[in-house]
Amino acid sequence: MDRFNKIFIINNGFSAFGLNLIDMTLLWILYLALKNPVLYIPVASAKPIGTLLLSSFTGYIADKYDRKKLFVISGTIHRILPIFIVYFIIISFNPVLAVILYVVRTGLTIVTTNTITPSFIQNLPEDKMKKVMFYNRAVKESSTILSIVIWPLLYAFYSGWTVIPGIILATIGFELISTLPLGGKGGKKVKFREALKEYRRKEIFFISMTTAISQGALGMVYLYSAAIIQILHGNTIQYTLAQLGFYLSWLIGPWMMTKFNNVTKLVVTSFAMYFLVFIVLALKNPWLIGLSTGSVGIGDSLTEIIWIKAMRMARQELMASVLGIDEFITAGFRLGYGSLAGTLYATEFFAVPIIGVITIAGVALAYTKSDTWKMKI
């Protein structure tokens, strides 16, 4: 494994631990402050909203200019903002301003991701792709799982200020990754209309659109896990189990992916997991939400290699732009489904799993009608 991938994986270990402590704390205390699933919609939908507004633009900028500068600026700010969010909830009692800052921070997280993800995808060795992907996930998700297990103890002592140790650890990873050449600087060669043309290539378009629709439906569950647990009268332990289920699945799923050589079997297993997400949710048991979120992670991690291979078909100098367009489309579906879910959880909980099953069935049908996803893995 080369230096880039080694440092990237080590960075993910520190960053995943720290950022998850921050995210779990913010999601939990924001719902405690709002106490309403409808008011929580901007929080649960912050990522798709930020992606919708920023992904295409930042992807283009990341190709055209210096990715490292963009990464350093956005990464620094989004590591500082959690302190102000906690302040406005615990001390200033201004949840509206806290939500606004949370949305801003999430947008900056997206900018950071859009600068580093293309570099990782471009540097994946073709002959060892599954192996490097597994190592990356093994380190990242193990660190996340450890932070999930520790979070209830830290939260019991420090409440919202649990974000501070998270910021410290996330900054270690941030400093490591900033030592790498991240690419970009395409200059005049990078034109957005060319990126759109690349995105419309048959393989890229099909994988992007079907993934986006699936992610919209699945987001109704994993983006709302903190709210779902509290709606079902759960507690921090059940919320921890829900988070643990999601991130443990991202440790198990990539290992399972390395065992598949037949892409059809991989896709069928992935869709089986997606259906399970909504079947479990329909049981309305807070103790089982971890199984539901875990099914999301396994399903996603199995087909991640198909998505990466499709994105690698884009021209190198346009990859961040194509990824930005892909994120924009995905965000639109997440925002639409997420907004609907926030309303339904407050009025008709059971409608959410019904919509989810119908959506996944539609995407599965699209796969049976196309051969573009049948690639060598």
Side-chain angles (χ1 to χ4, degrees):
M1 194 183 305
D2 63 12
R3 178 177 178 270
F4 183 97
N5 285 299
K6 284 180 180 178
I7 291 181
F8 186 88
I9 290 171
I10 294 169
N11 150 71
N12 268 347
F14 284 104
S15 293
F17 190 100
L19 292 176
N20 189 66
L21 285 181
I22 297 170
D23 291 338
M24 285 187 71
T25 303
L26 295 180
L27 288 170
W28 188 260
I29 65 175
L30 281 167
Y31 191 83
L32 281 178
L34 297 170
K35 294 181 170 60
N36 187 308
V38 175
L39 296 177
Y40 195 72
I41 289 174
V43 177
S45 301
K47 185 173 182 179
I49 289 172
T51 305
L52 203 61
L53 294 174
L54 296 171
S55 59
S56 296
F57 173 73
T58 56
Y60 171 73
I61 293 300
D63 277 333
K64 195 172 184 66
Y65 301 108
D66 190 336
R67 288 179 192 166
K68 184 178 287 188
K69 290 181 180 177
L70 191 60
F71 173 79
V72 170
I73 293 169
S74 60
T76 300
I77 298 173
H78 91 65
R79 281 165 171 78
I80 294 172
L81 282 180
I83 295 174
F84 293 94
I85 296 170
V86 175
Y87 171 83
F88 284 120
I89 293 175
I90 295 178
I91 297 176
S92 183
F93 305 109
N94 192 335
V96 174
L97 189 53
V99 169
I100 292 172
L101 289 180
Y102 180 84
V103 173
V104 171
R105 176 186 176 268
T106 304
L108 289 168
T109 305
I110 291 159
V111 174
T112 305
T113 301
N114 281 2
T115 59
I116 188 62
T117 301
S119 302
F120 175 63
I121 292 176
Q122 287 171 341
N123 281 277
L124 279 172
E126 185 68 33
D127 59 335
K128 297 178 181 177
M129 187 181 296
K130 289 196 288 186
K131 189 175 182 179
V132 174
M133 287 173 63
F134 168 66
Y135 287 152
N136 178 49
R137 284 293 179 182
V139 171
K140 181 180 179 181
E141 309 314 333
S142 295
S143 297
T144 305
I145 289 166
L146 181 59
S147 71
I148 292 170
V149 173
I150 291 173
W151 179 79
L153 180 62
L154 291 175
Y155 184 81
F157 280 98
Y158 302 113
S159 184
W161 299 111
T162 302
V163 299
I164 292 178
I167 291 169
I168 294 169
L169 288 162
T171 301
I172 295 173
F174 176 69
E175 291 296 327
L176 285 171
I177 207 73
S178 65
T179 66
L180 294 175
L182 300 181
K185 302 181 182 180
K188 293 181 179 180
K189 293 188 296 181
V190 179
K191 299 183 184 299
F192 192 70
R193 63 176 178 271
E194 291 297 317
L196 284 171
K197 188 183 296 184
E198 286 292 293
Y199 179 78
R200 289 197 295 267
R201 290 179 59 176
K202 183 172 63 173
E203 297 86 356
I204 296 175
F205 182 79
F206 178 82
I207 296 300
S208 174
M209 287 300 296
T210 52
T211 301
I213 295 169
S214 298
Q215 288 303 306
L218 296 167
M220 294 191 297
V221 179
Y222 72 85
L223 292 176
Y224 276 88
S225 61
I228 292 170
I229 295 295
Q230 294 182 68
I231 290 166
L232 298 177
H233 309 293
N235 53 43
T236 55
I237 298 301
Q238 291 158 336
Y239 175 49
T240 301
L241 290 175
Q243 292 293 97
L244 190 61
F246 182 70
Y247 289 104
L248 184 61
S249 68
W250 275 101
L251 185 59
I252 297 171
W255 175 80
M256 292 174 60
M257 178 266 295
T258 64
K259 305 303 177 184
F260 280 95
N261 292 313
N262 183 305
V263 70
T264 301
K265 291 181 180 179
L266 183 147
V267 167
V268 169
T269 306
S270 176
F271 276 107
M273 292 295 101
Y274 288 160
F275 281 115
L276 185 60
V277 171
F278 299 103
I279 292 170
V280 173
L281 180 65
L283 299 176
K284 297 178 68 173
N285 186 329
W287 288 104
L288 297 179
I289 299 301
L291 178 58
S292 184
T293 56
S295 299
V296 173
I298 291 178
D300 280 353
S301 57
L302 287 175
T303 52
E304 184 181 32
I305 190 171
I306 297 175
W307 179 82
I308 285 178
K309 280 184 167 285
M311 295 301 114
R312 278 166 66 101
M313 293 178 185
R315 284 156 48 192
Q316 291 288 296
E317 69 271 19
L318 295 172
M319 182 171 287
S321 301
V322 171
L323 288 174
I325 296 169
D326 170 76
E327 283 290 320
F328 176 83
I329 300 296
T330 303
F333 282 101
R334 281 180 177 147
L335 182 58
Y337 276 91
S339 300
L340 178 63
T343 303
L344 291 174
Y345 282 133
T347 57
E348 186 52 59
F349 188 100
F350 195 69
V352 174
I354 292 175
I355 292 171
V357 168
I358 292 172
T359 300
I360 298 303
V363 174
L365 181 62
Y367 265 71
T368 65
K369 302 295 184 181
S370 174
D371 290 331
T372 56
W373 54 274
K374 293 181 178 179
M375 57 185 72
K376 184 180 178 181
I377 58 170

